[in-house]
Tab-separated table of all heavy atoms in Angstrom:
chain	number	residue	atom	x	y	z
A	150	VAL	N	-22.862	24.303	-51.754
A	150	VAL	CA	-23.896	25.334	-51.696
A	150	VAL	C	-23.266	26.694	-51.402
A	150	VAL	O	-23.622	27.708	-52.018
A	150	VAL	CB	-24.958	24.985	-50.622
A	150	VAL	CG1	-26.041	26.053	-50.587
A	150	VAL	CG2	-25.561	23.622	-50.892
A	151	ILE	N	-22.308	26.711	-50.457
A	151	ILE	CA	-21.591	27.949	-50.141
A	151	ILE	C	-20.828	28.422	-51.374
A	151	ILE	O	-20.845	29.617	-51.716
A	151	ILE	CB	-20.623	27.735	-48.964
A	151	ILE	CG1	-21.351	27.197	-47.727
A	151	ILE	CG2	-19.884	29.032	-48.642
A	151	ILE	CD1	-22.431	28.084	-47.195
A	152	ALA	N	-20.161	27.494	-52.044
A	152	ALA	CA	-19.402	27.839	-53.247
A	152	ALA	C	-20.319	28.415	-54.327
A	152	ALA	O	-19.969	29.394	-55.001
A	152	ALA	CB	-18.673	26.607	-53.777
A	153	SER	N	-21.484	27.831	-54.478
A	153	SER	CA	-22.438	28.313	-55.468
A	153	SER	C	-22.897	29.736	-55.161
A	153	SER	O	-23.047	30.576	-56.056
A	153	SER	CB	-23.638	27.362	-55.531
A	153	SER	OG	-24.581	27.787	-56.490
A	154	ALA	N	-23.109	30.026	-53.868
A	154	ALA	CA	-23.513	31.379	-53.459
A	154	ALA	C	-22.406	32.387	-53.756
A	154	ALA	O	-22.673	33.514	-54.188
A	154	ALA	CB	-23.874	31.390	-51.977
A	155	ILE	N	-21.153	31.995	-53.518
A	155	ILE	CA	-20.021	32.881	-53.801
A	155	ILE	C	-19.907	33.136	-55.302
A	155	ILE	O	-19.681	34.272	-55.744
A	155	ILE	CB	-18.721	32.277	-53.235
A	155	ILE	CG1	-18.792	32.231	-51.706
A	155	ILE	CG2	-17.502	33.081	-53.687
A	155	ILE	CD1	-17.674	31.440	-51.054
A	156	GLN	N	-20.081	32.089	-56.088
A	156	GLN	CA	-20.062	32.258	-57.546
A	156	GLN	C	-21.157	33.212	-58.002
A	156	GLN	O	-20.940	34.067	-58.870
A	156	GLN	CB	-20.248	30.899	-58.230
A	156	GLN	CG	-19.026	30.008	-58.192
A	156	GLN	CD	-19.274	28.683	-58.895
A	156	GLN	OE1	-20.391	28.151	-58.884
A	156	GLN	NE2	-18.245	28.128	-59.508
A	157	LEU	N	-22.341	33.075	-57.410
A	157	LEU	CA	-23.467	33.925	-57.792
A	157	LEU	C	-23.202	35.381	-57.390
A	157	LEU	O	-23.561	36.304	-58.144
A	157	LEU	CB	-24.750	33.413	-57.138
A	157	LEU	CG	-26.059	34.084	-57.577
A	157	LEU	CD1	-26.277	33.931	-59.077
A	157	LEU	CD2	-27.241	33.490	-56.806
A	158	ALA	N	-22.579	35.577	-56.234
A	158	ALA	CA	-22.231	36.933	-55.807
A	158	ALA	C	-21.281	37.581	-56.807
A	158	ALA	O	-21.418	38.770	-57.142
A	158	ALA	CB	-21.587	36.898	-54.423
A	159	GLN	N	-20.327	36.804	-57.306
A	159	GLN	CA	-19.393	37.335	-58.304
A	159	GLN	C	-20.108	37.617	-59.629
A	159	GLN	O	-19.894	38.665	-60.250
A	159	GLN	CB	-18.260	36.343	-58.536
A	159	GLN	CG	-17.142	36.884	-59.422
A	159	GLN	CD	-16.042	35.875	-59.626
A	159	GLN	OE1	-16.229	34.871	-60.306
A	159	GLN	NE2	-14.872	36.142	-59.040
A	160	LYS	N	-20.965	36.699	-60.031
A	160	LYS	CA	-21.687	36.861	-61.296
A	160	LYS	C	-22.593	38.079	-61.274
A	160	LYS	O	-22.675	38.828	-62.258
A	160	LYS	CB	-22.510	35.591	-61.573
A	160	LYS	CG	-23.298	35.631	-62.878
A	160	LYS	CD	-24.086	34.334	-63.075
A	160	LYS	CE	-24.896	34.387	-64.365
A	160	LYS	NZ	-25.685	33.131	-64.568
A	161	LYS	N	-23.254	38.313	-60.132
A	161	LYS	CA	-24.174	39.439	-60.015
A	161	LYS	C	-23.484	40.729	-59.553
A	161	LYS	O	-24.146	41.755	-59.380
A	161	LYS	CB	-25.310	39.087	-59.036
A	161	LYS	CG	-26.271	38.036	-59.577
A	161	LYS	CD	-27.506	37.929	-58.674
A	161	LYS	CE	-28.575	37.057	-59.300
A	161	LYS	NZ	-29.822	37.035	-58.491
A	162	ASN	N	-22.173	40.635	-59.342
A	162	ASN	CA	-21.379	41.793	-58.925
A	162	ASN	C	-21.916	42.413	-57.626
A	162	ASN	O	-22.059	43.637	-57.499
A	162	ASN	CB	-21.337	42.846	-60.037
A	162	ASN	CG	-20.191	43.826	-59.861
A	162	ASN	OD1	-19.134	43.470	-59.349
A	162	ASN	ND2	-20.398	45.065	-60.268
A	163	ILE	N	-22.213	41.537	-56.663
A	163	ILE	CA	-22.658	41.994	-55.336
A	163	ILE	C	-21.402	42.247	-54.514
A	163	ILE	O	-20.751	41.312	-54.043
A	163	ILE	CB	-23.572	40.952	-54.660
A	163	ILE	CG1	-24.754	40.598	-55.575
A	163	ILE	CG2	-24.085	41.475	-53.317
A	163	ILE	CD1	-25.623	39.469	-55.056
A	164	LEU	N	-21.055	43.481	-54.311
A	164	LEU	CA	-19.749	43.838	-53.765
A	164	LEU	C	-19.760	44.062	-52.255
A	164	LEU	O	-18.711	44.338	-51.672
A	164	LEU	CB	-19.226	45.101	-54.465
A	164	LEU	CG	-19.082	44.982	-55.988
A	164	LEU	CD1	-18.586	46.287	-56.576
A	164	LEU	CD2	-18.142	43.829	-56.355
A	165	ASN	N	-20.922	43.951	-51.625
A	165	ASN	CA	-20.996	44.169	-50.173
A	165	ASN	C	-21.319	42.888	-49.403
A	165	ASN	O	-21.854	42.923	-48.303
A	165	ASN	CB	-22.025	45.252	-49.839
A	165	ASN	CG	-23.441	44.857	-50.253
A	165	ASN	OD1	-23.625	44.181	-51.270
A	165	ASN	ND2	-24.439	45.283	-49.489
A	166	ILE	N	-20.981	41.734	-49.991
A	166	ILE	CA	-21.204	40.453	-49.337
A	166	ILE	C	-19.858	39.782	-49.100
A	166	ILE	O	-18.984	39.795	-49.970
A	166	ILE	CB	-22.139	39.536	-50.168
A	166	ILE	CG1	-22.372	38.190	-49.460
A	166	ILE	CG2	-21.591	39.290	-51.569
A	166	ILE	CD1	-23.362	38.221	-48.379
A	167	TYR	N	-19.683	39.189	-47.900
A	167	TYR	CA	-18.441	38.512	-47.548
A	167	TYR	C	-18.775	37.212	-46.818
A	167	TYR	O	-19.824	37.105	-46.181
A	167	TYR	CB	-17.567	39.409	-46.662
A	167	TYR	CG	-17.284	40.741	-47.307
A	167	TYR	CD1	-18.101	41.842	-47.035
A	167	TYR	CD2	-16.250	40.895	-48.212
A	167	TYR	CE1	-17.872	43.068	-47.645
A	167	TYR	CE2	-16.009	42.119	-48.828
A	167	TYR	CZ	-16.828	43.197	-48.549
A	167	TYR	OH	-16.614	44.398	-49.162
A	168	PHE	N	-17.867	36.256	-46.910
A	168	PHE	CA	-18.098	34.943	-46.316
A	168	PHE	C	-16.984	34.618	-45.321
A	168	PHE	O	-15.803	34.668	-45.659
A	168	PHE	CB	-18.156	33.867	-47.397
A	168	PHE	CG	-19.350	33.992	-48.298
A	168	PHE	CD1	-19.363	34.922	-49.347
A	168	PHE	CD2	-20.469	33.202	-48.113
A	168	PHE	CE1	-20.474	35.056	-50.173
A	168	PHE	CE2	-21.579	33.321	-48.936
A	168	PHE	CZ	-21.583	34.258	-49.966
A	169	LEU	N	-17.383	34.332	-44.095
A	169	LEU	CA	-16.459	33.857	-43.066
A	169	LEU	C	-16.649	32.347	-43.000
A	169	LEU	O	-17.626	31.851	-42.431
A	169	LEU	CB	-16.778	34.522	-41.726
A	169	LEU	CG	-15.961	34.075	-40.504
A	169	LEU	CD1	-14.468	34.250	-40.742
A	169	LEU	CD2	-16.407	34.819	-39.258
A	170	CYS	N	-15.730	31.619	-43.602
A	170	CYS	CA	-15.925	30.187	-43.819
A	170	CYS	C	-15.187	29.334	-42.794
A	170	CYS	O	-14.014	29.574	-42.484
A	170	CYS	CB	-15.451	29.794	-45.219
A	170	CYS	SG	-16.464	30.488	-46.541
A	171	SER	N	-15.895	28.346	-42.278
A	171	SER	CA	-15.299	27.310	-41.437
A	171	SER	C	-15.807	25.976	-41.969
A	171	SER	O	-16.692	25.339	-41.387
A	171	SER	CB	-15.702	27.507	-39.972
A	171	SER	OG	-15.152	26.488	-39.165
A	172	LEU	N	-15.264	25.593	-43.103
A	172	LEU	CA	-15.702	24.394	-43.814
A	172	LEU	C	-14.652	23.302	-43.633
A	172	LEU	O	-13.485	23.480	-43.959
A	172	LEU	CB	-15.904	24.696	-45.301
A	172	LEU	CG	-16.976	25.752	-45.603
A	172	LEU	CD1	-16.936	26.157	-47.075
A	172	LEU	CD2	-18.359	25.242	-45.227
A	173	LYS	N	-15.081	22.163	-43.110
A	173	LYS	CA	-14.168	21.093	-42.751
A	173	LYS	C	-14.320	19.893	-43.691
A	173	LYS	O	-15.360	19.707	-44.327
A	173	LYS	CB	-14.432	20.642	-41.315
A	173	LYS	CG	-14.305	21.746	-40.253
A	173	LYS	CD	-12.873	22.196	-40.077
A	173	LYS	CE	-12.646	22.925	-38.751
A	173	LYS	NZ	-13.396	24.185	-38.630
A	174	LEU	N	-13.256	19.072	-43.736
A	174	LEU	CA	-13.230	17.865	-44.560
A	174	LEU	C	-13.185	16.630	-43.663
A	174	LEU	O	-12.472	16.603	-42.650
A	174	LEU	CB	-12.006	17.877	-45.478
A	174	LEU	CG	-11.942	19.039	-46.478
A	174	LEU	CD1	-10.602	19.023	-47.212
A	174	LEU	CD2	-13.100	18.978	-47.474
A	175	MET	N	-13.904	15.587	-44.046
A	175	MET	CA	-14.039	14.393	-43.227
A	175	MET	C	-12.800	13.492	-43.174
A	175	MET	O	-12.367	13.095	-42.086
A	175	MET	CB	-15.247	13.571	-43.693
A	175	MET	CG	-16.565	13.996	-43.093
A	175	MET	SD	-16.621	13.505	-41.362
A	175	MET	CE	-18.108	14.336	-40.849
A	176	PRO	N	-12.199	13.119	-44.308
A	176	PRO	CA	-11.110	12.130	-44.226
A	176	PRO	C	-9.968	12.497	-43.287
A	176	PRO	O	-9.509	11.631	-42.526
A	176	PRO	CB	-10.643	12.012	-45.688
A	176	PRO	CG	-11.865	12.308	-46.478
A	176	PRO	CD	-12.560	13.400	-45.708
A	177	PRO	N	-9.472	13.750	-43.260
A	177	PRO	CA	-8.340	14.042	-42.370
A	177	PRO	C	-8.651	13.812	-40.894
A	177	PRO	O	-7.799	13.302	-40.150
A	177	PRO	CB	-8.047	15.526	-42.650
A	177	PRO	CG	-8.555	15.758	-44.031
A	177	PRO	CD	-9.783	14.915	-44.132
A	178	VAL	N	-9.854	14.175	-40.452
A	178	VAL	CA	-10.162	13.983	-39.028
A	178	VAL	C	-10.374	12.500	-38.712
A	178	VAL	O	-10.021	12.034	-37.623
A	178	VAL	CB	-11.380	14.833	-38.593
A	178	VAL	CG1	-12.691	14.264	-39.121
A	178	VAL	CG2	-11.426	14.966	-37.073
A	179	LEU	N	-10.913	11.738	-39.662
A	179	LEU	CA	-11.067	10.302	-39.433
A	179	LEU	C	-9.705	9.620	-39.379
A	179	LEU	O	-9.481	8.725	-38.547
A	179	LEU	CB	-11.939	9.681	-40.521
A	179	LEU	CG	-13.376	10.211	-40.614
A	179	LEU	CD1	-14.172	9.406	-41.621
A	179	LEU	CD2	-14.055	10.189	-39.257
A	180	LYS	N	-8.781	10.044	-40.226
A	180	LYS	CA	-7.421	9.501	-40.172
A	180	LYS	C	-6.749	9.878	-38.853
A	180	LYS	O	-6.024	9.072	-38.264
A	180	LYS	CB	-6.605	10.013	-41.363
A	180	LYS	CG	-7.046	9.421	-42.694
A	180	LYS	CD	-6.189	9.920	-43.852
A	180	LYS	CE	-6.661	9.305	-45.161
A	180	LYS	NZ	-5.820	9.713	-46.320
A	181	PHE	N	-7.001	11.097	-38.395
A	181	PHE	CA	-6.468	11.540	-37.114
A	181	PHE	C	-6.953	10.623	-35.990
A	181	PHE	O	-6.171	10.186	-35.135
A	181	PHE	CB	-6.913	12.984	-36.845
A	181	PHE	CG	-6.462	13.564	-35.541
A	181	PHE	CD1	-5.237	14.198	-35.431
A	181	PHE	CD2	-7.272	13.472	-34.414
A	181	PHE	CE1	-4.819	14.728	-34.215
A	181	PHE	CE2	-6.868	14.008	-33.195
A	181	PHE	CZ	-5.633	14.630	-33.103
A	182	ILE	N	-8.236	10.310	-35.993
A	182	ILE	CA	-8.813	9.445	-34.964
A	182	ILE	C	-8.246	8.032	-35.052
A	182	ILE	O	-7.830	7.441	-34.051
A	182	ILE	CB	-10.349	9.420	-35.093
A	182	ILE	CG1	-10.937	10.772	-34.686
A	182	ILE	CG2	-10.951	8.297	-34.242
A	182	ILE	CD1	-12.408	10.907	-34.992
A	183	LEU	N	-8.196	7.488	-36.261
A	183	LEU	CA	-7.753	6.106	-36.434
A	183	LEU	C	-6.258	5.958	-36.197
A	183	LEU	O	-5.801	4.920	-35.708
A	183	LEU	CB	-8.141	5.607	-37.830
A	183	LEU	CG	-9.652	5.464	-38.058
A	183	LEU	CD1	-9.963	5.177	-39.514
A	183	LEU	CD2	-10.238	4.377	-37.160
A	184	ASP	N	-5.482	6.988	-36.521
A	184	ASP	CA	-4.046	6.941	-36.230
A	184	ASP	C	-3.785	6.949	-34.723
A	184	ASP	O	-2.849	6.312	-34.237
A	184	ASP	CB	-3.331	8.135	-36.876
A	184	ASP	CG	-3.184	7.986	-38.379
A	184	ASP	OD1	-3.244	6.845	-38.869
A	184	ASP	OD2	-3.016	9.019	-39.062
A	185	GLN	N	-4.639	7.675	-33.987
A	185	GLN	CA	-4.476	7.769	-32.535
A	185	GLN	C	-4.969	6.512	-31.831
A	185	GLN	O	-4.442	6.129	-30.790
A	185	GLN	CB	-5.275	8.975	-32.002
A	185	GLN	CG	-4.872	10.314	-32.572
A	185	GLN	CD	-3.586	10.845	-31.973
A	185	GLN	OE1	-3.340	10.679	-30.804
A	185	GLN	NE2	-2.772	11.483	-32.789
A	186	ASN	N	-5.990	5.882	-32.393
A	186	ASN	CA	-6.682	4.791	-31.678
A	186	ASN	C	-6.929	3.592	-32.592
A	186	ASN	O	-8.074	3.201	-32.823
A	186	ASN	CB	-8.027	5.294	-31.133
A	186	ASN	CG	-7.875	6.479	-30.203
A	186	ASN	OD1	-7.380	6.344	-29.113
A	186	ASN	ND2	-8.296	7.647	-30.655
A	187	ARG	N	-5.873	3.006	-33.094
A	187	ARG	CA	-6.050	1.892	-34.033
A	187	ARG	C	-6.814	0.720	-33.422
A	187	ARG	O	-7.559	0.027	-34.111
A	187	ARG	CB	-4.687	1.400	-34.543
A	187	ARG	CG	-4.099	2.262	-35.654
A	187	ARG	CD	-2.754	1.721	-36.100
A	187	ARG	NE	-2.224	2.521	-37.194
A	187	ARG	CZ	-2.378	2.225	-38.481
A	187	ARG	NH1	-3.068	1.170	-38.829
A	187	ARG	NH2	-1.849	2.980	-39.423
A	188	GLN	N	-6.629	0.478	-32.131
A	188	GLN	CA	-7.296	-0.657	-31.490
A	188	GLN	C	-8.600	-0.259	-30.799
A	188	GLN	O	-9.281	-1.107	-30.234
A	188	GLN	CB	-6.346	-1.284	-30.451
A	188	GLN	CG	-4.990	-1.697	-31.000
A	188	GLN	CD	-5.094	-2.658	-32.160
A	188	GLN	OE1	-5.895	-3.598	-32.111
A	188	GLN	NE2	-4.314	-2.448	-33.203
A	189	HIS	N	-8.920	1.020	-30.877
A	189	HIS	CA	-10.061	1.528	-30.102
A	189	HIS	C	-11.385	1.398	-30.854
A	189	HIS	O	-12.419	1.120	-30.267
A	189	HIS	CB	-9.787	2.991	-29.742
A	189	HIS	CG	-10.914	3.679	-29.056
A	189	HIS	ND1	-11.397	3.268	-27.836
A	189	HIS	CD2	-11.669	4.749	-29.426
A	189	HIS	CE1	-12.394	4.054	-27.483
A	189	HIS	NE2	-12.577	4.956	-28.414
A	190	ILE	N	-11.355	1.593	-32.166
A	190	ILE	CA	-12.575	1.577	-32.978
A	190	ILE	C	-12.523	0.386	-33.922
A	190	ILE	O	-11.531	0.170	-34.626
A	190	ILE	CB	-12.714	2.895	-33.758
A	190	ILE	CG1	-12.923	4.053	-32.778
A	190	ILE	CG2	-13.872	2.827	-34.757
A	190	ILE	CD1	-12.863	5.410	-33.412
A	191	HIS	N	-13.604	-0.376	-33.943
A	191	HIS	CA	-13.637	-1.609	-34.726
A	191	HIS	C	-14.418	-1.465	-36.030
A	191	HIS	O	-14.444	-2.395	-36.833
A	191	HIS	CB	-14.246	-2.734	-33.888
A	191	HIS	CG	-13.554	-2.941	-32.577
A	191	HIS	ND1	-14.143	-2.667	-31.366
A	191	HIS	CD2	-12.294	-3.361	-32.294
A	191	HIS	CE1	-13.300	-2.931	-30.383
A	191	HIS	NE2	-12.171	-3.333	-30.905
A	192	GLY	N	-15.081	-0.333	-36.230
A	192	GLY	CA	-15.836	-0.119	-37.464
A	192	GLY	C	-16.410	1.285	-37.496
A	192	GLY	O	-16.523	1.942	-36.458
A	193	MET	N	-16.758	1.753	-38.683
A	193	MET	CA	-17.301	3.100	-38.833
A	193	MET	C	-18.545	3.109	-39.705
A	193	MET	O	-18.613	2.399	-40.714
A	193	MET	CB	-16.268	4.042	-39.457
A	193	MET	CG	-15.203	4.523	-38.496
A	193	MET	SD	-14.180	5.838	-39.210
A	193	MET	CE	-13.436	6.510	-37.716
A	194	ILE	N	-19.520	3.930	-39.282
A	194	ILE	CA	-20.684	4.225	-40.116
A	194	ILE	C	-20.446	5.601	-40.715
A	194	ILE	O	-20.358	6.594	-39.989
A	194	ILE	CB	-21.983	4.200	-39.293
A	194	ILE	CG1	-22.179	2.829	-38.640
A	194	ILE	CG2	-23.181	4.548	-40.177
A	194	ILE	CD1	-23.371	2.766	-37.701
Side-chain angles (χ1 to χ4, degrees):
V150 181
I151 304 300
S153 181
I155 294 170
Q156 285 180 327
L157 188 59
Q159 188 180 70
K160 181 180 179 181
K161 290 191 171 185
N162 199 32
I163 305 174
L164 302 179
N165 63 325
I166 180 79
Y167 304 94
F168 293 80
L169 176 56
C170 293
S171 179
L172 299 170
K173 302 291 199 296
L174 299 173
M175 275 288 171
V178 74
L179 299 186
K180 290 182 180 182
F181 179 88
I182 290 171
L183 293 171
D184 286 338
Q185 300 283 323
N186 302 290
R187 280 180 178 265
Q188 305 304 317
H189 175 62
I190 294 171
H191 305 112
M193 282 190 163
I194 301 174

